[in-house]
Amino acid sequence: RCGLRGIDYHTDTVYASRGCRGRCVFCANHLVGGNWRPRSVDAILAELLAIPPLPRGRRKKVKFWDSSFLAEPERVERLCRGIIEHKLDLRFRYVAESRAEDVVRAAAVLPIMQRASFARIGCGVESPNRRTHTALRKGLNLDHVGRAAELLAGAGLQFSKFLIVGHDGEDEAD
């Protein structure tokens, strides 16, 4: 939680899952967080309902701190329907992170995410260099990055890309 003072936080964080399905060599998430395991939609909604709203009708940002938020698109759709049903879309704006291939697989869910007040999805791209991806064991098809960008734009969601600059074996041109 971060904010200016007291309980008037402008951002809260929630975990909808723990761990990661990826095994990237630069990340410790799979070592520290273990295998990917989701929380129940009911538990997530209960936590969202317990977050104090901002005063005067302002909407607080909620950051889903998952590595693979869209790993199970049907679960995300149930969550979004619950957010709308409980009118949590009027209290919060949501941001999440996921793998680009999960964004592509979850294309049908993106419009309901936008209706549920999701504003942005971030994806770890790490590098535009296929050779670097092989070395990182990222397991990302770089073609999915462009497709994810198109799908998110079409659903009215912002796309953040996370890059790591200066991998071993890369030069200025990379």
Side-chain angles (χ1 to χ4, degrees):
R1 295 184 168 155
C2 57
L4 300 176
R5 60 192 172 288
I7 63 166
D8 189 18
Y9 294 103
H10 59 79
T11 303
D12 273 281
T13 58
V14 172
Y15 281 94
S17 67
R18 295 286 185 160
C20 185
R21 291 180 173 171
R23 296 291 183 265
C24 307
V25 298
F26 61 87
C27 182
N29 196 349
H30 64 282
L31 298 171
V32 176
N35 291 329
W36 185 84
R37 57 211 184 280
R39 290 179 63 203
S40 74
V41 169
D42 289 340
I44 299 165
L45 289 170
E47 184 172 352
L48 291 172
L49 286 164
I51 296 173
L54 288 175
R56 297 175 299 282
R58 295 185 338 212
R59 289 196 298 170
K60 186 182 284 192
K61 185 190 305 178
V62 172
K63 164 86 165 93
F64 284 100
W65 208 251
D66 307 39
S67 296
S68 303
F69 184 77
L70 288 166
E72 291 183 347
E74 302 81 14
R75 185 172 143 274
V76 173
E77 182 176 1
R78 288 193 314 274
L79 175 62
C80 290
R81 292 191 188 290
I83 285 171
I84 293 167
E85 178 184 326
H86 291 288
K87 300 195 182 326
L88 293 166
D89 54 323
L90 304 176
R91 286 173 51 180
F92 306 122
R93 289 184 53 78
Y94 303 95
V95 297
E97 294 177 15
S98 202
R99 294 179 58 94
E101 61 270 22
D102 288 344
V103 173
V104 173
R105 281 187 318 101
V109 177
L110 300 178
I112 195 167
M113 289 179 70
Q114 198 274 340
R115 286 195 305 275
S117 288
F118 277 81
R120 182 175 60 243
I121 303 294
C123 294
V125 176
E126 319 325 339
S127 172
N129 186 322
R130 290 186 194 281
R131 186 180 71 251
T132 299
H133 276 263
T134 300
L136 296 177
R137 287 190 241 151
K138 176 75 178 176
L140 173 65
N141 178 338
L142 287 171
D143 296 335
H144 286 150
V145 176
R147 183 68 183 132
E150 292 169 1
L151 291 168
L152 290 167
L157 298 166
Q158 296 173 350
F159 184 30
S160 295
K161 293 149 293 285
F162 305 117
L163 298 166
I164 301 172
V165 178
H167 292 280
D168 287 343
E170 289 186 340
D171 58 21
E172 260 187 70
D174 291 318

